[in-house]
Amino acid sequence: MTTERVETASESDVDEYADLGATTENAMDIAETSMDRVRELVPDETLADRVRQKSVHATGDPEFQHLVRFTGETDDEPVVAGARAVLEERPIVTDITMVKAGVTGRGHGCPVRKAIGNGADLAKRTGMTRTAASVLELDREGVYDGAVAVVGNAPTAALALADCIEDGTRPAVAVATPVGFVKAVESRERLREVAAARGVPAITNVGRRGGSGLAAGLTNELVHVASDVRNGEVDLP
Amino acid sequence: MTTERVETASESDVDEYADLGATTENAMDIAETSMDRVRELVPDETLADRVRQKSVHATGDPEFQHLVRFTGETDDEPVVAGARAVLEERPIVTDITMVKAGVTGRGHGCPVRKAIGNGADLAKRTGMTRTAASVLELDREGVYDGAVAVVGNAPTAALALADCIEDGTRPAVAVATPVGFVKAVESRERLREVAAARGVPAITNVGRRGGSGLAAGLTNELVHVASDVRNGEVDLP
């Protein structure tokens, strides 16, 4: 049982983070100029390129485009799967509060929830991290099937998500960019292997970098692609 | 008038992000191993080194230690000022929700609040960004004087904070790491100039990188130093 309140986008107080969602004149100028600069640095051909652009935008580093990995039949597949999930208003489930706070409240009707806060008993009983336990607990409740599963911070959450996928869970797409020196690299490698084997589309990165801001940014790009589909500017295959 | 609820640490639901605050066996192993690895890569002599270590920990990039800048008589000064502010339970004021969500709920009694959500009228009237307007509005209420002022996302918030300091506001310390291709670099340069001229200690970075996770991590390191002072492990000058 979870006692966490599930916020829908309309209730969310995090509209302000929507980088597509600049509302004042000044902010709109900045947002446009910023993405224009990114487009000078990153190809703009495919849906996967949009995610690469977003990785550069979120990290401030032009080279980050080369660190993004797409698990699927094509690089576009996880982006298409993510946009479809957003259009179908599937849950967006993040590992920690900070990533949830970074997911835009605009342009979608998906419930946004976080894993952390669930599974406290399991963590206490087993000694596993609270984030790992929280993922396993939500998975037991069936939350991850069909969801946009996002891990921005905790390598152990990415490892737990990989275990769930190995055991039969099928997120619509996994977005995982945990950061750091212990298990971050390995957790993403393992997630890519399991996701590829089980046919779960995934967007991840290589290397030790990553983090909550990146995970939220990439997730928001899935929302943006979905918005463009809704507006007739993009056709999904 | 602000209608935002000010959360104190004990009410916060973001305990889980406390990187010092690993509670399960597994998490404690990971946290210790992770900081051990960082200490192999970054000097461990001064209080400023702790902030440099934290920047590496938060970004997953050993080279980030060279991108951190300290504004003050010495590199340690902003760290000392930040730790003192935490011990005095001054407010920690972030620009956006995501940074607030990343500030640890443990080891301090500081109210943690965010600027965004305030100053909507000002933004509408002037066309300035909502984050900039929110900083100016909170400053009008006197919130930033003596506070730990944190900007993780919005260059315009850092510019607004610099304006406030130029106009006489005196935060205990400013922590600013906005990320991106438009005004991020310039906003931090301007903040450093104004902070140096007005005697406000500051921790910032150079280059386009940065972001919410970094800002929260550096702020949490100020909390950790304060905890070590409280425990008698560190003496402030």
Side-chain angles (χ1 to χ4, degrees), chain A residues 208-224:
Chain A
R208 286 178 297 217
R209 293 168 58 191
S212 299
L214 178 61
L218 300 185
T219 304
N220 290 344
E221 192 57 33
L222 300 177
V223 172
H224 300 168

Side-chain angles (χ1 to χ4, degrees), chain A residues 59-61 181 208-209, chain B residues 41-42 48 51-70 176-179 188 203-211 213-215 218:
Chain A
T59 61
D61 178 4
F181 292 84
R208 286 178 297 217
R209 293 168 58 191
Chain B
L41 301 162
V42 187
V51 170
R52 292 186 185 99
Q53 289 172 355
K54 193 66 197 184
S55 77
V56 170
H57 190 253
T59 60
D61 177 4
E63 304 312 328
F64 209 94
Q65 63 183 301
H66 307 297
L67 305 179
V68 183
R69 293 294 176 271
F70 300 87
T177 64
V179 59
R188 288 186 253 100
I203 302 172
T204 58
N205 67 292
V206 294
R208 286 178 297 217
R209 293 168 58 192
L214 177 62
L218 300 186

